[in-house]
Amino acid sequence: AKDAGRNGIQFYNKAMDARARTRLALEYEIRRGLENGEFEAFYQPRVDCLTGEIVGAEALARWRHPERGLLFPDSFIPVCEESGVIRELDRQILAQVASQLANWEAQGRLLQVSVNLSASQFGDPALPDVLQQILQASNCRAAAIELEITESLLLAHDQNTLDTLASLRTMGFAIAIDDFGTGYSNLAYLQNYPLNTLKIDRSFISGLPQSSAIPQLITSLCRILSLNMVAEGVETHAQLDWLRQQGCQQYQGYLCSRPVSLAHFNELLHYSP
Ligand code: C2E
Ligand code: CA
Ligand code: CA
Ligand code: CA
């Protein structure tokens, strides 16, 4: 029994070892991919619930891997977060978005695009400067960019986070809370932070129109606090009808489109009302 136990542990260690090696290899590949410009912003339309017009988009990272094809965030974001490479990835996605926003504006198309910012960015006091450099290099207005952050960041009640958010707002960026409702329900932070938008998590939208208690609550909350409300993961007309009746302003979801390449998004824009 003792031997079996020892073998069990040895086996476990070997498996751990293999996992660590795979992870390290992936991290190396991601760094190389970032140097080669293999990461690309895809765009999921953000749509006006009433008019159906595309008013903007959310930028979502994709990896055009030279051998494995198009890869989705679940296969690289966790390793990016663990290794800290996420800062460089977020910076590259933001730079692509900023230069594209300037292009659209030059064509007379005013859009707002949101980008996902990892919580670890907020530990970096250089964040406002990094963002300022991106704006200057691209000639993009800060107000055309919305920064998506998660609830967990605000629940920490950290003075540095509050200061960073305040300076980002002063610079003109809009701030959105992503996946709203999935964190702990301490709503006090909604009053204490300078926010523009709540994005209701897809898990609450999927039950509509039957399970509507929480979406209804969040709609009222947004109205009372004068926050813009975006519903995520809208897939059916019944869901959209419900949201429209409740006064939700905007939605994203497969009902309009999956996240698509820039070229494809430009086509969608062309046909948008
Ligand atoms: P998220 O920010 O909550 O993004 C929404 C996810 O839901 C996207 O998955 C999107 O493709 C998916 N989605 C949108 N509409 C629908 C729908 O109608 N039905 C269903 N079933 N799904 C829908 P994606 O692109 O795989 O991204 C996953 C997560 O990876 C994102 O969740 C975000 O947290 C993270 N992520 C993506 N790009 C970046 C990035 O550039 N930086 C950082 N820090 N995180 C990113
Ligand atoms: Ca998001
Ligand atoms: Ca989300
Ligand atoms: Ca998410």
Side-chain angles (χ1 to χ4, degrees):
K2 213 174 166 191
D3 275 358
R6 215 181 279 141
N7 285 338
I9 286 166
Q10 202 176 28
F11 178 75
Y12 181 69
N13 284 341
K14 267 186 187 158
M16 290 286 283
D17 225 45
R19 262 195 51 203
R21 271 200 304 272
T22 311
R23 194 196 148 285
L24 213 63
L26 180 58
E27 182 185 329
Y28 173 81
E29 250 195 302
I30 291 171
R31 288 184 194 276
R32 198 218 54 215
L34 283 165
E35 276 166 26
N36 294 344
E38 291 167 8
F39 289 83
E40 184 177 320
F42 266 41
Y43 295 85
Q44 182 174 45
R46 196 185 273 191
V47 184
D48 184 308
C49 287
L50 282 179
T51 65
E53 184 191 359
I54 295 177
V55 294
E58 174 176 359
L60 292 154
R62 299 290 183 262
W63 185 3
R64 285 206 194 270
H65 192 280
E67 286 111 38
R68 284 183 280 149
L70 190 69
L71 301 183
F72 288 73
D74 60 342
S75 67
F76 56 86
I77 293 277
V79 170
C80 288
E81 298 260 13
E82 283 168 35
S83 61
V85 187
I86 191 75
R87 290 189 192 182
E88 175 60 14
L89 174 65
D90 285 352
R91 203 196 57 73
Q92 287 197 13
I93 295 295
L94 207 58
Q96 290 177 28
V97 166
S99 78
Q100 192 48 48
L101 279 163
N103 282 347
W104 283 318
E105 194 161 328
Q107 297 160 26
R109 191 107 207 194
L110 292 182
L111 297 171
Q112 189 179 57
V113 174
S114 66
V115 294
N116 295 283
L117 271 195
S118 149
S120 74
Q121 302 273 8
F122 279 80
D124 182 1
L127 179 63
D129 288 340
V130 169
L131 295 183
Q132 190 62 52
Q133 278 165 19
I134 291 174
L135 289 182
Q136 266 157 10
S138 59
N139 210 9
C140 167
R141 292 175 305 118
I145 296 177
E146 184 161 75
L147 304 170
E148 295 195 10
I149 58 181
T150 53
E151 272 176 294
S152 53
L153 184 69
L154 304 185
L155 291 166
H157 280 294
D158 175 53
Q159 186 61 38
N160 290 334
T161 302
L162 185 58
D163 293 345
T164 304
L165 279 178
S167 26
L168 296 177
R169 271 302 293 276
T170 306
M171 288 166 69
F173 291 105
I175 311 284
I177 301 294
D178 200 4
D179 304 342
F180 183 75
T182 58
Y184 304 94
S185 53
N186 176 356
L187 297 177
Y189 75 76
L190 289 178
Q191 293 190 315
N192 301 337
Y193 288 96
L195 306 172
N196 303 79
T197 301
L198 294 191
K199 301 191 74 177
I200 306 192
D201 193 62
R202 185 176 80 223
S203 55
F204 301 115
I205 302 302
S206 60
L208 287 176
Q210 290 83 8
S211 314
S212 60
I214 291 172
Q216 200 151 20
L217 185 70
I218 297 176
T219 323
S220 315
L221 198 63
C222 287
R223 200 178 306 122
I224 293 164
L225 296 174
S226 301
L227 292 165
N228 181 36
M229 174 170 155
V230 179
E232 296 197 280
V234 175
E235 295 182 350
T236 69
H237 284 288
Q239 290 165 353
L240 177 58
D241 287 342
W242 188 92
L243 290 162
R244 206 186 267 142
Q245 273 161 25
Q246 294 294 313
C248 173
Q249 289 99 348
Q250 296 165 0
Y251 81 92
Q252 294 175 215
Y254 294 171
L255 180 61
C256 173
S257 169
R258 287 170 185 262
V260 292
S261 69
L262 174 63
H264 190 158
F265 181 70
N266 275 324
E267 262 174 61
L268 293 176
L269 272 184
H270 187 72
Y271 293 107
S272 161

